[in-house]
Amino acid sequence: MSTQTLYERVATHLGEQIRRGVMRAGERMPSLRQLGRDQGVSVSTAVEVYAQLERQGLLEARPRSGYYIRAMPAPGAVGTRAPARLARTPQPVRQPELLCVPEELTRKARMALHSATPAPALLPGAALHSALQRVMRRDPDAAVRYAAAEGVADLRLRIAERYARVGVDVDPEEVVITAGAMEAISLALRVVTSPGDVVLLETPTYHGLLQAVAALGLRVLEVPTDAESGIDVACLEKQLARQPVRAAILVPNFNNPAGSLTGDAGKRAIVAACTAHGVTVIEDDLYAELAFSGERPAPLRRFDTRGQVITCGSYSKMLAPGLRVGWALGRRWTQQLLHAKGFSTVATATLPQLAIADYLARHGLDPHLRRLRRALADNAQRSRDAILRHWPAGTCVGDPGGGLSLWVQLPQELDARSLYEAGLARGIGSLPGDLFSLRGDHRHHLRLSFGVPWSDAVDDALRTLGKLASAAAR
């Protein structure tokens, strides 16, 4: 006699149908009442059935829409892992196209599936507009004067308070407001490195980090990051042991482009290894607030007891890219960061800082972030479903738990650069994987963003890319 409960028996039956492909990825499941009628169970039992299938990763709940079947990985898929072969000696960055590809996309892409920022429709534009108006009415003189080099005091306090919620003790006096996270990272690099120094970067990593390293004349050692498990800690430890490294630029929370999340045990080991070797860690914490679960992952800073980590972040991915307000948690480098900033931007624009501080005082971040996370999670899953439905057999797609990036691995016979060019000729933006590494690796990968709200137009664009890929694979 079966020991399964009624809801477990129904869940097992439906799960088998989904796994066999009888029920297709992307299909909407019956309503709870309809499932109850079909299976002869109560609505409360139907709720348990869908909850069980959701825990198994077979279903997803979409706000105000119901339950849908999640895409299953293609048979024999090898995942979206980074190449195992890495250069044993530091190398300079030699990729002149790092700058020209984004410029080309800005001119030609009508469907911006390449842009790892939320579309304006997903951001609180009206509320921020009101905040800007209030600031100008309340104190127009303050809004147009230079702010202090370190930034507006109220905003620095709110950033420190936000980190306290994840167990990180931040002194507001160490918060340096910057023009976005990239300025924070660039300032940190200028403070802790000199031309010719060796820095450690993930592969794949954001092409903007490679640009920053190249501009400062630094050499690079790479460490793989896996779309599922995050930064390869064992490889990181080996790279640090091989040669003196001055700094490590790492994105442990929802890496761009891989979407990977490094677990707390890995983060603790990374900080310990870097501390043991005297390596300063520059942490790009840009995407951490975009965790689909609502549970913001810890930054590396939480595991730092010796002051080795400079954490950089920004409001660009969660509130307003165009306001360009970010920060660095400077620790013992705070005064050096401010000195370096004095030779570049002098001070961050005052009005955007005051407006964000006003917005946070009135609304806080959480209500907006809940809506944004739900929308991004929905966009990500719909995009995955469309890719696995319409692209050639053997295509693999990462399954990120947050952020804005989908890392797509094409069959080995396909070159992502060719697919990028074919898509762009039809107005569809993407980014070829070779932009995200020191030596142009990841040639069979493509980065897409799910920051554009789901629509028939997005579905059509993904279907078109799938047709182009299928044609090229023949």
Side-chain angles (χ1 to χ4, degrees):
M1 180 176 178
S2 173
T3 60
Q4 284 187 316
T5 63
L6 178 58
Y7 86 82
E8 288 174 331
R9 288 200 297 274
V10 175
T12 298
H13 170 69
L14 293 176
E16 289 173 354
Q17 289 186 306
I18 293 170
R19 292 186 180 93
R20 291 202 307 268
V22 176
M23 304 167 75
R24 299 285 304 277
E27 287 184 6
R28 188 176 186 274
M29 294 294 288
S31 69
L32 293 170
R33 292 186 183 279
Q34 185 62 50
L35 181 69
R37 287 194 292 270
D38 293 346
Q39 300 292 332
V41 298
S42 67
V43 172
S44 61
T45 298
V47 169
E48 292 291 338
V49 169
Y50 281 168
Q52 173 86 343
L53 293 172
E54 191 175 18
R55 287 192 294 270
Q56 294 173 2
L58 299 177
L59 296 185
E60 60 156 336
R62 296 180 183 172
R64 299 181 298 279
S65 183
Y67 285 87
Y68 288 78
I69 299 171
R70 297 191 69 177
M72 299 294 290
V78 296
T80 52
R81 297 182 180 275
R85 187 177 61 84
L86 300 171
R88 294 180 64 87
T89 57
Q91 305 287 322
V93 178
R94 296 192 184 96
Q95 284 213 63
E97 67 272 32
L98 286 174
L99 285 172
C100 66
V101 166
E103 291 174 356
E104 183 180 39
L105 283 162
T106 301
R107 292 195 311 271
K108 297 181 180 179
R110 298 184 301 276
M111 176 56 70
L113 300 184
H114 63 282
S115 180
T117 54
L122 300 179
L123 299 172
L128 286 167
H129 180 259
S130 297
L132 287 162
Q133 289 182 317
R134 280 192 300 272
V135 167
M136 287 301 295
R137 284 196 305 267
R138 187 166 59 234
D139 194 346
D141 290 344
V144 297
R145 285 197 300 262
Y146 281 128
E150 60 270 23
V152 169
D154 185 42
L155 187 59
R156 298 164 71 210
L157 177 61
R158 292 188 181 279
I159 290 167
E161 290 174 343
R162 191 79 187 175
Y163 277 102
R165 295 171 59 166
V166 287
V168 179
D169 183 18
V170 174
D171 183 343
E173 294 299 313
E174 68 170 285
V175 179
V176 177
I177 302 296
T178 60
M182 272 310 305
E183 189 193 25
I185 293 166
S186 296
L187 289 174
L189 276 172
R190 285 166 56 189
V191 164
V192 304
T193 68
S194 299
D197 280 349
V198 177
V199 295
L200 191 73
L201 273 77
E202 296 165 69
T203 180
T205 194
Y206 173 50
H207 55 80
L209 299 180
L210 291 167
Q211 290 175 19
V213 165
L216 293 173
L218 302 171
R219 295 176 296 149
V220 175
L221 280 176
E222 291 183 310
V223 58
T225 192
D226 181 73
E228 295 180 2
S229 58
I231 298 168
D232 186 331
V233 179
C235 182
L236 178 141
E237 292 170 341
K238 289 178 182 176
Q239 293 285 54
L240 294 182
R242 283 176 180 152
Q243 169 154 349
V245 171
R246 187 68 191 91
I249 313 170
L250 303 175
V251 193
N253 293 327
F254 311 123
N255 159 293
N256 173 8
S260 56
L261 174 64
T262 303
D264 284 356
K267 290 172 182 172
R268 186 177 286 105
I270 287 166
V271 173
C274 289
T275 300
H277 289 276
V279 175
T280 301
V281 180
I282 301 171
E283 176 183 20
D284 183 349
D285 197 35
L286 189 58
Y287 298 98
E289 292 282 12
L290 301 183
F292 299 158
S293 68
E295 296 182 14
R296 185 217 196 279
L300 291 173
R301 166 72 181 260
R302 191 164 90 181
F303 307 100
D304 176 26
T305 60
R306 301 287 186 86
Q308 289 297 115
V309 177
I310 302 174
T311 296
C312 304
S314 173
Y315 290 109
S316 294
K317 306 302 182 181
M318 51 180 160
L319 277 183
L323 292 185
R324 306 304 300 138
V325 175
W327 61 84
L329 308 183
R331 303 289 285 269
R332 57 191 171 92
W333 292 276
T334 300
Q335 290 305 312
Q336 292 167 274
L337 289 169
L338 289 171
H339 184 69
K341 185 177 177 181
F343 286 99
S344 55
T345 54
V346 180
T348 305
T350 308
L351 182 56
Q353 293 186 66
L354 293 173
I356 289 178
D358 179 276
Y359 172 89
L360 294 174
R362 283 179 174 263
H363 305 283
L365 268 178
D366 291 321
H368 161 65
L369 282 178
R370 282 193 290 270
R371 293 188 294 271
L372 178 60
R373 289 163 178 156
R374 284 196 298 267
L376 293 178
D378 185 55
N379 295 349
Q381 190 55 51
R382 287 174 183 252
S383 297
R384 293 186 74 253
D385 292 346
I387 291 167
L388 292 176
R389 216 168 35 240
H390 299 306
W391 292 35
T395 300
C396 303
V397 192
D399 189 10
L404 285 156
S405 298
L406 274 184
W407 192 228
V408 183
Q409 179 178 307
L410 302 171
Q412 287 296 303
E413 65 270 20
L414 293 183
D415 179 74
R417 176 69 66 144
S418 298
L419 182 56
Y420 150 77
E421 292 171 349
L424 190 57
R426 289 158 177 79
I428 304 169
S430 63
L431 281 176
D434 58 5
L435 290 183
F436 297 92
S437 74
L438 173 67
R439 301 180 299 169
D441 295 322
H442 315 294
R443 293 183 179 277
H444 303 294
H445 288 78
L446 201 71
R447 193 204 75 182
L448 298 172
S449 168
F450 44 83
V452 178
W454 186 260
S455 65
D456 289 342
V458 174
D459 191 42
D460 288 344
L462 291 172
R463 184 183 292 108
T464 297
L465 287 176
K467 288 178 179 177
L468 293 170
S470 296
R474 294 192 188 109

